[in-house]
């Protein structure tokens, strides 16, 4: 219905603007319009309204519609009706007209058309049918005791399934007794360092070395637990672990060796061996974040560092990248000496993961559905990365995707000094993405690089082509002097 000006000068001494637009029935729209007129002071207390027959004729509404609207507003206390005096605005405190301030326009945050932020799998690809089937099988087969207090390590069904899978697919040396189920990587860090609310102190202390580029909130979790973090430089061979020798107080190091986040390279084999030697010699500890280790596109995924020395490496994984961040399940493969300390930090019940979800994931893995899902998504993400690389080569050859063909994101190397303008240009194109500097440790000393972190896994399949087109339009012009984003 349109907005309508109703001439009520004869009865009210002024025109009344009645806004009859908006959702709902004609009765509901009229009630809302009259209520708003009273609230805003356009209809002041004591003002007599026209008979419902007259207003119905002016507005082109049915008489019963206006009569019902009056009756509703009388019942709510906005209007009063007395025999012989008609329908009037109720006597109530109302702001004087001169004191009313115009309503500020509602803030409407711009929603990007294309989400190219890193860190999330394609949500539409969650295997709903297979997951539902696994849940049914798991719940039917579950023993009654599964729904009572249980082992704080996690359900044995899931720990056995994880033990088999991690041994086979990631080269992890593990048995179920050294696996502790948690709700994800952040939860694992808090259990290790004592940052879980209501839980006990974790078994680890700092300082701890971290990579100069990485997820900032991981370092923030450590700092929040009272652990000072020491950034290690990066190059094309991964973290420069030789720098650990110059930090005698450092008690451990957090690494992403399969696929360094975000710069994209694997930890060189010689450095893998070197960091293990460092841990053995100095009684140090390595925390291995295997956040997307299954997704290697040009060759078989490299095995976990944990396989080199299970008593010097804490191996952490989850399904947040492989399956969905909504499935809040992760795991820790611990050196034997740390198991009791982590369980003490976890507490008796509060930090446990939902048992039905654990049972479902156990069946999903054991039935082979998890492997099938990984293979399917590996093909899809490889195709998307190839599209990105090809489009850059054809349309913006001065910009290249760095790192190995793996994972859910790529870093685009940009001309020096163009990151801020590229992020702004992307925003104008309706793209959400991050510059490389967003992942730089605040105390990093290595040279800063210029790059964009592009999450090619995030857009839905049907929108990926349009997202690439928009990204290409936001790219800076050619520049001959280009530096590596890893410095």
């Amino acid at each position: 219905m349109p907005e309508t000006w109703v001439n009520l000068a004869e009865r009210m001494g002024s025109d009344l603007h009645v806004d009859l637009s908006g959702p709902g029935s004609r009765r509901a729209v009229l009630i809302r319009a009259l209520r708003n007129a009273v609230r805003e002071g356009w209809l002041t207390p004591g003002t007599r309204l026209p008979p419902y027959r007259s207003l119905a004729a002016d507005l082109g509404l049915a008489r019963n519609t206006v009569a019902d609207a009056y009756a509703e507003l009388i019942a709510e206390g906005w209007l009063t009706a007395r025999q012989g005096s008609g329908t009037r605005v109720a006597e109530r405190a109302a702001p004087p007209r001169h004191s009313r301030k115009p309503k500020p326009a509602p803030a409407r945050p711009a929603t990007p058309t294309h989400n190219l932020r890193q860190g999330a799998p394609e949500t539409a690809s969650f295997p709903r049918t297979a997951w539902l089937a696994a849940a049914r099988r798991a719940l039917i087969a579950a023993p009654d005791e599964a729904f009572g207090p249980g082992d704080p390590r996690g359900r044995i069904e899931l720990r056995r399934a994880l033990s088999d899978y991690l041994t086979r697919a990631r080269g992890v040396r593990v048995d179920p007794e050294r696996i502790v189920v948690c709700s994800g990587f952040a939860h694992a860090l808090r259990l290790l360092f004592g940052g879980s609310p209501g839980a006990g102190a974790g078994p680890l202390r700092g300082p701890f070395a971290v990579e100069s580029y990485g997820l900032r909130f991981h370092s923030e979790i450590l700092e929040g637990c009272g652990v000072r973090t020491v950034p290690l430089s990066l190059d094309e061979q991964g973290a420069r672990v030789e720098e650990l020798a110059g930090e005698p107080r450092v008690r451990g190091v957090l690494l992403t060796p399969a696929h360094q986040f975000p710069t994209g390279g694997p930890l060189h084999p010689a450095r893998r061996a070197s960091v293990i030697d460092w841990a053995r010699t100095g009684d140090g500890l390595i925390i291995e974040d295997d956040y997307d280790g299954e997704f290697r596109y040009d060759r078989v995924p490299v095995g976990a560092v944990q396989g080199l020395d299970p008593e010097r490496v804490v191996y952490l994984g989850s399904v947040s990248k492989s399956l969905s961040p909504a499935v809040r399940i992760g795991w820790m493969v611990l050196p034997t000496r740390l198991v009791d300390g982590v369980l003490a930090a976890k507490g008796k019940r509060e930090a446990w993961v939902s048992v039905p979800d654990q049972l479902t994931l156990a069946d999903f893995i054991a039935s082979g559905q998890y492997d099938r899902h990984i293979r399917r998504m590996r093909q899809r993400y490889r195709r998307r990365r190839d599209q990105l690389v090809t489009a850059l080569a054809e349309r913006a050859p001065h910009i290249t995707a760095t790192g190995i063909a793996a994972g859910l994101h790529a870093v685009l190397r940009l001309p020096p000094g163009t990151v801020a303008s590229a992020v702004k240009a992307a925003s104008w194109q309706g793209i959400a993405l991050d510059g490389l500097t967003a992942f730089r440790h605040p105390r990093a000393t290595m040279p800063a690089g210029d790059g964009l972190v592009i999450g090619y896994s995030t857009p839905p399949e049907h929108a990926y082509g349009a997202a690439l087109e928009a990204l290409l339009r936001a790219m800076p012009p050619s520049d001959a002097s280009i530096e590596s984003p890893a410095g």
Side-chain angles (χ1 to χ4, degrees):
M1 289 181 288
E3 295 185 358
T4 304
W5 283 95
V6 182
N7 191 334
L8 302 178
E10 180 179 335
R11 303 176 180 86
M12 299 172 54
S14 62
D15 288 344
L16 172 65
H17 175 257
V18 181
D19 182 0
L20 298 183
S21 63
S25 66
R26 290 173 179 263
R27 173 181 172 277
V29 169
L30 179 59
I31 289 172
R32 184 167 61 243
L34 292 176
R35 189 188 293 128
N36 189 58
V38 175
R39 182 186 294 117
E40 294 298 320
W42 301 328
L43 291 175
T44 57
T47 300
R48 183 172 180 173
L49 297 182
Y52 70 86
R53 293 182 181 87
S54 300
L55 187 59
D58 288 336
L59 298 179
L61 300 176
R63 293 180 180 180
N64 287 343
T65 298
V66 179
D68 288 347
Y70 276 13
E72 176 68 23
L73 291 170
I74 291 169
E76 293 179 1
W78 295 96
L79 306 178
T80 61
R82 294 176 183 172
Q83 186 71 26
S85 63
T87 303
R88 296 178 181 272
V89 177
E91 294 290 343
R92 58 169 61 206
R97 294 180 63 89
H98 66 271
S99 67
R100 293 199 322 271
K101 296 180 179 180
K103 290 184 177 180
R108 296 183 179 179
T111 301
T113 305
H114 307 291
N115 185 2
L116 291 177
R117 295 190 188 278
Q118 61 74 39
E122 185 197 7
T123 55
S125 296
F126 184 80
R128 304 181 191 209
T129 301
W131 185 260
L132 179 60
R136 287 173 174 165
R137 290 192 301 266
L139 293 178
I140 290 172
D144 292 342
E145 56 86 16
F147 302 99
D151 192 331
R153 289 175 174 83
R155 285 299 303 178
I156 185 60
E157 296 91 339
L158 177 56
R159 289 186 287 121
R160 285 172 179 161
L162 287 171
S163 180
D164 292 343
Y165 173 78
L166 295 174
T167 299
R168 168 174 53 82
R170 302 298 301 124
V172 175
R173 292 161 60 186
V174 60
D175 62 74
E177 295 307 304
R178 294 196 294 114
I179 294 178
V180 174
V181 177
C182 56
S183 64
F185 188 85
H187 184 206
L189 286 184
R190 293 187 177 102
L191 291 175
L192 287 167
F193 293 95
S196 291
L204 300 186
R205 299 291 180 269
F208 242 71
V210 296
E211 295 161 329
S212 283
Y213 283 85
L215 284 173
R216 291 283 295 275
F217 86 91
H218 289 169
S219 295
E220 290 168 357
I221 288 173
L222 296 184
E223 300 276 356
C225 295
V227 177
R228 184 173 67 88
T229 57
V230 178
L232 297 179
S233 300
L234 299 165
D235 59 22
E236 66 280 357
Q237 296 184 352
R240 298 187 60 181
V241 296
E242 66 271 17
E243 293 178 1
L244 291 169
E247 299 287 347
R249 297 183 59 194
V250 165
R251 305 180 70 169
V253 57
L254 170 59
L255 298 172
T256 52
H259 182 220
Q260 201 287 320
F261 180 86
T263 58
L267 189 62
H268 190 275
R271 293 187 180 176
R272 287 175 163 240
S274 178
V275 75
I276 290 292
D277 290 341
W278 168 84
R280 288 172 177 170
T281 302
D283 194 27
L285 189 74
I286 302 161
I287 297 179
E288 179 174 12
D289 179 5
D290 199 28
Y291 78 103
D292 64 358
E294 296 103 332
F295 295 110
R296 182 74 183 259
Y297 310 131
D298 57 349
R299 65 193 70 183
V300 176
V302 64
V305 169
Q306 190 267 4
L308 298 176
D309 193 333
E311 291 303 318
R312 292 293 173 187
V313 181
V314 175
Y315 176 90
L316 304 182
S318 76
V319 296
S320 64
K321 303 296 185 292
S322 59
L323 195 57
S324 167
V327 181
R328 301 306 307 155
I329 299 181
W331 48 86
M332 315 166 69
V333 180
L334 297 165
T336 304
R337 71 184 187 279
L338 295 182
V339 173
D340 290 343
V342 167
L343 294 179
K346 192 175 186 185
K348 295 188 179 294
R349 292 187 190 177
E350 307 312 341
W352 291 11
V353 178
S354 164
V355 166
D357 287 345
Q358 291 187 55
L359 295 172
T360 299
L361 181 58
D363 183 281
F364 195 74
I365 294 172
S367 66
Q369 289 295 337
Y370 188 70
D371 285 85
R372 283 189 278 276
H373 178 72
I374 291 293
R375 288 196 296 270
R376 181 168 62 252
M377 300 313 297
R378 189 183 288 145
Q379 293 172 355
R380 178 168 297 182
Y381 296 153
R382 176 176 185 168
R383 183 168 62 250
R384 290 191 179 194
R385 191 181 192 279
D386 289 347
Q387 285 179 256
L388 172 62
V389 171
T390 300
L392 289 172
E394 293 176 351
R395 306 265 297 277
H398 58 291
I399 296 172
T400 58
T402 65
I404 59 174
L408 311 184
H409 76 278
V411 172
L412 304 190
R413 186 174 61 180
L414 298 185
T418 61
V419 174
S421 60
V423 171
K424 184 175 182 180
S427 178
W428 279 104
Q429 294 293 333
I431 305 171
L433 49 73
D434 292 303
L436 188 61
T437 52
F439 304 95
R440 182 178 171 87
H441 192 285
R443 294 190 296 276
T445 58
M446 62 177 289
D450 297 89
L452 298 176
V453 181
I454 305 300
Y456 49 74
S457 64
T458 309
E461 186 74 4
H462 71 273
Y464 185 61
L468 279 187
E469 285 295 318
L471 177 66
L472 291 169
R473 291 194 295 269
M475 290 296 93
S478 176
D479 190 299
S481 58
I482 299 177
E483 299 173 354
S484 166

